Amino acid sequence: MRKILIADDEPAIRFLIRATLEDQGYLLLEAADGLEAYELARSERPDLIVLDVMMPQMSGYELCSRLKADPAYRAIIVLMLTAKAQEADRKQAARAGVDYYLPKPFSPLDLTKIIRFLLAGMD
Amino acid sequence: MRVGIQKKIAGGYVLIVFLIVVSTTVIYFKTNQKMLSYTMTAHQYHLAEMATLGLFLAIRNEETVVRRYFQNKDPQYVEAFRNAQQQIVQEKGILEELLVDDEEALRCLQERILPTADYLDALLEEALTENKTELAPYWLSFPGLTEDFIQAEVELSSILNQRHTEAMFAQREYLKQSYRLTMLILLILALLAIALGLLIARGITGPLKKLMQGIEGLKSGTYRQIEEVCSNDELRALIMAFNQMADTIELNRLELQKRNEELQAQGEELIAQNEEILAQQKGLEELVDKLMKQEDLLSRLFKFAQSLTRTIQVDQLAAIVLEGLMKESKAQVALFMLFDPKTEKMRLIKSAGRESALEQITNKLYLPLIYNREVRGQIVLGRLVEFSAEEQRLLRALSAQIVVALDNALSHQTVQQALEKMQEIDELKTELLNTVSHELRTPLTSILGFSELLLKNSVDEGKTPKYVQMINKESIRLSQLVNNFLDLQRIETGQLSLNRRLVNLYDVIADVVATFQGAGIQHTIEIRLAKDLPLVNTDPEQLARVLENLLSNALKYSPQAYKVEVEVEQISTDLIAIAVKDYGLGIPPSEQEAIFKPFYRVDHSEWREIGGTGLGLAIAYQTARSLGGELRVDSQYGKGSTFTFNLPIAVP
């Protein structure tokens, strides 16, 4: 069973993502800030992280950079959700090694498809 | 007829030689004749002496013979007598001839000497003729040679001798005399020769002198004929030639003078024209000089202005200005000051040289920097040497350039500051926009997401109300967010309209607290009001908004506490302080200033459920300000915060 970590400081967004993905056959984990998400990622080794950019303690970019810099966690797929959709943010995301970039607001169906696609690529 | 100088001199010499010859000849002959006569006289007397001696001898012989004859009658004695007699006659003849001019000697001879001989003759003749042989009678009658005879003999000898000596002496005297005479004549001749020489020389140099004077005169330009000289030689010819020449020269001169006068007349006209031209030229030169000076000044100004355009930064401009001025003025110290309109004082921007020496330097030049009648600053130059008027002119001209550059720099500075402010505002706006967009996207995402899930029809029946509830909750949040944001914008842009009236603070506070308590909170809200609080002239709705936001904030950030306090007291005659105190998480000191900014939220990650728009405190802060009050925070991290709202009692 695929393991997915949901990292967002907004409870409403976490709830939405959980509601979207819960009957798709994934094991879902949640983190409310960057640091917690980073530690969970290291301890739980999820296959994919749905990552918010603006989080307390540690931003999504930093978390992603750290994971991608470490060979042991480089394989974790990072899907970044962001309210910011400017070109600069896109570039920053690319630099941090983000695998997929999805602006808010997003469609839950699209999210499901994208995650399925991303995880299928791993096999 | 002309007699040459050579002839004159020759004539002079001939004359002198002639005189010498004549005079020496005359002297010679004269002396010779005289000398001969003296010699003759001397010789005559010498001969006379000799003859006398012979006479005397003969007379003595006669006497001796006579006597002997009378003694022995020897005839031989007669013969001897005859011989003596003959000798006496001979001598007598010689003597009488020699002494013909000498009366004294002749008389002595004839009267005293010769009678004795005559007597002897007669004596013998008588003896012979009478044949008287008897001697005695004769002898007795013969007195012999008498005393007188011997005397006469001596006298005559001495006379003759004297005469001889006299002649000799006279000869010698004459010789001496003639020698002196010769000397004298030669002397006279020598003097004569000198006089003649002088005369001739004078005859030559006199006209020469006149000629020289004439030449000098000609040289100095005064025409004068040389007067006739009484010499008939080459000099006269020379002088005549000179006079002719002088005449010619004078004629030429007169003509020349005439021409000259004509020329001078023309020349004067020309000179007048020339002077006019010169005057114009001088004017022109002065103009050119002035222009060149001006040009020099202009080029310096241009260079200076160029150097000034190198920068539009005030500081750098001041540095360049001071460097330029120090160079131009050779000042020891220079200060660049700007006028500060706020303090109305000059502020030192930059200095060059030895600033400490400014007090000792007496020569200071103040260059005010005035633009459009507005004082912008001033430059002070201090120098040991006094500033000349020309230097001051130059420096003032430079300062005029500086003012323009300074104004540029100041304008630039103002524009730069405005630009920076605008940029800052723009950045703030962008940031705000980003934040707003981010804040709006979150509830939007939820609403859109849940509604999509519901529309899929694949949701469990049991989950549906929960999703709808989420949609509702997030919609309310979205609406709140929009409202708050719009409120904040309105307050910030001063569009808030206030409805002031006299308000009882307790009523307002109680209403707000009641709303919170009705919403089912876990905290107790304590209200503590001071006694005798006055009514406050304010807008109760806005006041309520401040309180709501403060209370909402206090409740939200004290999740672990159980109470929040509201305290009201009058702190001065015109100020009321409303304090909202919580015992919650508190705000770190570094963030206390930022919390009043929109969308700023202190990160309390361990309390993840604390939500909100991040606009509450910003709204409270701006509303408080629009009511004429002030909001500040006093917080200890981890122990809680107190927000105090100082509200004016009357309309401010």
Side-chain angles (χ1 to χ4, degrees):
Chain A
M1 192 185 258
R2 302 288 189 193
K3 221 186 258 181
I4 295 176
L5 172 62
I6 302 165
D8 201 313
D9 59 331
E10 278 295 333
I13 301 295
R14 288 202 300 275
F15 182 48
L16 174 65
I17 296 168
R18 175 173 279 277
T20 306
L21 299 175
E22 68 185 349
D23 48 1
Q24 300 290 320
Y26 303 120
L27 181 62
L28 297 175
L29 305 165
E30 282 183 38
D33 64 64
L35 202 59
E36 188 188 357
Y38 181 61
E39 269 152 21
L40 263 178
R42 284 163 67 93
S43 59
E44 294 296 328
R45 287 177 159 276
D47 298 291
L48 186 142
I49 305 175
V50 180
L51 187 62
D52 184 29
V53 175
M54 287 182 55
M55 283 188 298
Q57 308 284 10
M58 190 188 288
S59 80
Y61 294 132
E62 195 185 338
L63 192 155
C64 182
S65 298
R66 284 194 188 188
L67 287 182
K68 294 295 179 186
D70 190 339
Y73 307 106
R74 193 174 288 160
I76 298 174
I77 297 166
V78 176
L79 192 162
M80 188 160 271
L81 290 178
T82 176
K84 295 183 171 182
Q86 265 102 33
E87 189 62 25
D89 301 312
R90 217 177 272 277
K91 277 183 183 167
Q92 204 176 352
R95 267 203 301 279
V98 168
D99 296 279
Y100 202 88
Y101 187 92
L102 189 65
K104 285 181 187 174
F106 58 89
S107 152
L109 285 176
D110 285 353
L111 181 69
T112 318
K113 283 178 195 164
I114 288 162
I115 288 173
R116 199 181 297 144
F117 170 75
L118 287 173
L119 288 174
M122 286 181 70
D123 298 329
Chain B
M1 202 196 109
R2 218 177 65 190
V3 180
I5 295 170
Q6 202 183 349
K7 280 182 185 165
K8 265 186 181 173
I9 295 168
Y13 276 107
V14 167
L15 183 64
I16 288 168
V17 168
F18 175 73
L19 282 173
I20 291 169
V21 168
V22 169
S23 57
T24 43
T25 311
V26 167
I27 290 167
Y28 175 73
F29 279 106
K30 193 104 187 202
T31 311
N32 227 20
Q33 207 181 348
K34 203 86 178 170
M35 285 295 282
L36 199 66
S37 96
Y38 280 122
T39 310
M40 288 294 282
T41 310
H43 185 65
Q44 199 184 332
Y45 281 109
H46 178 69
L47 288 176
E49 267 181 305
M50 300 295 277
T52 331
L53 278 178
L55 187 70
F56 289 163
L57 213 60
I59 290 170
R60 278 175 195 272
N61 270 345
E62 262 187 9
E63 188 263 331
T64 309
V65 170
V66 163
R67 221 178 333 126
R68 285 210 185 147
Y69 180 69
F70 273 99
Q71 279 169 350
N72 31 22
K73 302 288 187 213
D74 195 348
Q76 79 174 45
Y77 288 113
V78 174
E79 198 165 332
F81 188 84
R82 292 294 173 215
N83 282 344
Q85 207 176 18
Q86 207 179 340
Q87 198 182 352
I88 288 168
V89 170
Q90 197 183 340
E91 300 293 344
K92 182 191 155 197
I94 292 168
L95 275 173
E96 275 172 351
E97 197 185 335
L98 283 174
L99 299 176
V100 77
D101 294 329
D102 195 329
E103 237 176 284
E104 195 191 358
L106 205 59
R107 201 169 57 237
C108 186
L109 177 72
Q110 286 172 342
E111 287 175 5
R112 295 169 73 182
I113 304 292
L114 285 177
T116 303
D118 287 343
Y119 178 73
L120 284 173
D121 279 345
L123 199 57
L124 189 59
E125 284 304 323
E126 204 181 18
L128 281 171
T129 49
E130 294 193 6
N131 219 1
K132 292 174 180 169
T133 57
E134 217 39 65
L135 251 178
Y138 287 101
W139 187 255
L140 283 168
S141 66
F142 183 62
L145 292 174
T146 62
E147 200 75 24
D148 181 60
F149 177 77
I150 296 165
Q151 187 77 30
E153 231 181 29
V154 172
E155 275 182 20
L156 186 62
S157 289
S158 103
I159 285 169
L160 290 180
N161 191 31
Q162 198 184 340
R163 293 279 189 269
H164 185 198
T165 316
E166 271 175 4
M168 296 272 280
F169 261 102
Q171 192 187 12
R172 251 170 70 189
E173 271 312 298
Y174 186 77
L175 203 64
K176 261 187 200 169
Q177 214 176 338
S178 88
Y179 187 68
R180 277 199 208 113
L181 188 68
T182 311
M183 293 299 284
L184 188 68
I185 285 168
L186 283 175
L187 190 68
I188 288 166
L189 280 172
L191 287 174
L192 194 69
I194 290 169
L196 196 68
L198 280 174
L199 202 66
I200 291 168
R202 214 178 136 177
I204 295 166
T205 52
L208 269 178
K209 226 179 224 171
K210 281 183 181 168
L211 189 65
M212 281 306 289
Q213 281 171 355
I215 291 170
E216 287 295 325
L218 268 187
K219 247 166 78 180
S220 62
T222 47
Y223 165 73
R224 198 178 52 178
Q225 283 278 347
I226 297 173
E227 54 192 270
E228 202 75 359
V229 281
C230 1
S231 73
N232 200 15
D233 51 18
E234 289 95 334
L235 283 171
R236 188 180 173 174
L238 196 62
I239 282 164
M240 274 163 74
F242 171 80
N243 280 344
Q244 267 178 9
M245 187 185 76
D247 278 345
T248 316
I249 287 174
E250 177 66 7
L251 276 175
N252 287 345
R253 194 182 66 83
L254 286 173
E255 200 174 338
L256 211 65
Q257 201 173 3
K258 203 173 138 199
R259 286 258 192 88
N260 239 8
E261 274 163 11
E262 284 171 21
L263 278 174
Q264 206 169 357
Q266 292 176 4
E268 270 166 16
E269 207 176 319
L270 279 172
I271 285 169
Q273 289 175 5
N274 203 28
E275 267 170 10
E276 206 175 316
I277 290 170
L278 277 176
Q280 287 176 3
Q281 201 176 344
K282 203 179 170 192
L284 211 67
E285 270 172 18
E286 273 171 10
L287 199 68
V288 167
D289 196 40
K290 212 169 173 181
L291 274 173
M292 270 167 71
K293 262 189 187 169
Q294 207 78 17
E295 199 183 78
D296 181 48
L297 181 63
L298 278 176
S299 84
R300 284 161 97 169
L301 283 179
F302 180 70
K303 272 186 197 159
F304 192 69
Q306 263 189 333
S307 77
L308 293 182
T309 52
R310 261 187 267 148
T311 178
I312 41 172
Q313 305 291 327
V314 176
D315 278 8
Q316 288 175 19
L317 179 75
I320 290 169
V321 161
L322 290 183
E323 190 194 339
L325 285 182
M326 290 282 279
K327 206 173 117 200
E328 285 292 337
S329 68
K330 298 177 180 64
Q332 271 75 39
V333 57
L335 307 178
F336 191 100
M337 302 168 115
L338 275 186
F339 183 71
D340 190 343
K342 279 180 199 161
T343 58
E344 298 197 329
K345 273 179 187 167
M346 290 288 177
R347 190 160 52 90
L348 182 67
I349 297 296
K350 229 176 186 70
S351 65
R354 292 179 298 131
E355 198 188 337
S356 56
L358 191 67
E359 295 301 317
Q360 281 98 54
I361 289 171
T362 46
N363 294 308
K364 285 179 204 163
L365 185 63
Y366 292 88
L367 299 170
L369 303 174
I370 299 172
Y371 193 78
N372 283 345
R373 296 181 184 173
E374 236 177 81
V375 177
R376 295 294 166 93
Q378 75 172 8
I379 290 167
V380 186
L381 292 175
R383 200 170 72 172
L384 295 171
V385 186
E386 209 172 320
F387 291 97
S388 73
E390 180 64 26
E391 280 176 320
Q392 290 193 16
R393 196 170 78 89
L394 171 69
L395 292 171
R396 286 192 200 288
L398 293 181
S399 76
Q401 298 286 326
I402 295 165
V403 172
V404 177
L406 176 63
D407 188 65
N408 272 343
L410 287 175
S411 305
H412 174 76
Q413 199 179 41
T414 312
V415 169
Q416 197 69 22
Q417 280 169 355
L419 243 146
E420 274 167 18
K421 198 157 193 178
M422 269 171 69
Q423 242 164 13
E424 208 176 307
I425 288 170
D426 197 52
E427 274 167 22
L428 277 174
K429 255 198 174 138
T430 311
E431 196 188 315
L432 188 70
L433 210 70
N434 278 339
T435 318
V436 169
S437 126
H438 179 257
E439 294 299 324
L440 291 177
R441 272 166 207 265
T442 307
L444 263 176
T445 306
S446 297
I447 294 165
L448 286 170
F450 284 116
S451 51
E452 195 182 304
L453 287 177
L454 284 173
L455 286 171
K456 272 201 318 183
N457 291 328
S458 61
V459 184
D460 288 349
E461 290 282 321
K463 286 179 183 170
T464 309
K466 208 174 179 188
Y467 288 3
V468 174
Q469 204 183 334
M470 279 307 289
I471 290 170
N472 180 253
K473 193 178 147 196
E474 288 300 297
S475 300
I476 291 167
R477 186 176 157 194
L478 185 63
S479 132
Q480 262 181 2
L481 197 65
V482 171
N483 283 337
N484 281 347
F485 185 67
L486 289 176
D487 278 352
L488 187 62
Q489 287 296 105
R490 253 208 308 276
I491 297 162
E492 276 185 342
T493 53
Q495 286 171 343
L496 190 70
S497 54
L498 297 173
N499 299 309
R500 289 183 195 277
R501 58 191 168 88
L502 285 175
V503 175
N504 187 332
L505 286 178
Y506 180 78
D507 294 346
V508 178
I509 294 166
D511 276 358
V512 173
V513 170
T515 323
F516 278 95
Q517 279 168 341
I521 51 162
Q522 55 169 2
H523 296 74
T524 323
I525 299 173
E526 284 181 19
I527 305 173
R528 286 206 294 271
L529 265 80
K531 283 175 186 171
D532 307 322
L533 281 175
L535 294 178
V536 176
N537 186 11
T538 191
D539 184 330
E541 277 182 41
Q542 302 307 326
L543 178 59
R545 199 214 297 262
V546 176
L547 282 172
E548 272 167 25
N549 279 301
L550 290 181
L551 274 172
S552 160
N553 190 69
L555 293 167
K556 209 187 290 175
Y557 288 97
S558 56
Q560 84 287 29
Y562 61 93
K563 71 166 180 180
V564 169
E565 296 167 1
V566 180
E567 245 178 42
V568 184
E569 57 178 347
Q570 186 171 1
I571 55 170
S572 71
T573 49
D574 48 4
L575 270 185
I576 297 281
I578 304 168
V580 176
K581 193 172 183 180
D582 69 62
Y583 299 91
L585 306 170
I587 306 157
S590 59
E591 293 180 64
Q592 287 183 6
E593 214 177 308
I595 54 167
F596 296 117
K597 283 184 183 170
F599 302 112
Y600 190 89
R601 273 185 282 191
V602 179
D603 184 9
H604 295 291
S605 55
E606 66 272 30
W607 300 95
R608 61 181 59 157
E609 297 304 326
I610 297 174
T613 59
L615 289 172
L617 281 179
I619 288 171
Y621 183 78
Q622 295 296 342
T623 309
R625 278 172 67 96
S626 67
L627 286 175
E630 197 188 341
L631 185 63
R632 57 188 168 78
V633 66
D634 180 24
S635 176
Q636 275 188 299
Y637 190 53
K639 288 190 175 174
S641 314
T642 304
F643 288 85
T644 309
F645 175 28
N646 285 339
L647 178 68
I649 294 166
V651 183

